[in-house]
Amino acid sequence: MKKAFSSVFETFLDACWSEDTHSVSGDRGVSEWTFSGTDAEDGEVVEERGCDVFTFKDGKIVVKDTFLK
């Protein structure tokens, strides 16, 4: 996780996740969000809707999948 987020903040110095909602049902969870940031290399502003789908076991995350629109 640390490497993944470090890479995001190197690429998008102003990375921000907003408009988030979260829900859990049994051993599954969903987090919906909007990501925005300015690409440090070319200055392009990026905004994407996405979600994370989690599977939990014994109180820990065992699967995390991310989907972008």
Side-chain angles (χ1 to χ4, degrees):
M1 292 294 291
K2 184 177 180 178
K3 280 185 179 182
F5 277 98
S6 293
S7 174
V8 170
F9 285 107
E10 288 171 9
T11 304
F12 301 97
L13 301 177
D14 59 347
C16 178
W17 288 263
S18 61
E19 301 177 17
D20 52 313
T21 61
H22 313 281
S23 60
V24 175
S25 179
D27 65 349
R28 301 297 300 256
V30 176
S31 177
E32 299 176 80
W33 38 263
T34 297
F35 171 82
S36 61
T38 306
D39 190 305
E41 188 173 310
D42 63 15
E44 180 182 354
V45 176
V46 173
E47 184 171 292
E48 297 181 323
R49 286 289 297 158
C51 69
D52 296 313
V53 179
F54 301 93
T55 302
F56 305 105
K57 182 175 181 182
D58 299 326
K60 296 185 179 187
I61 298 169
V62 293
V63 176
K64 176 187 173 284
D65 291 315
T66 300
F67 300 92
L68 300 173
K69 181 173 181 181

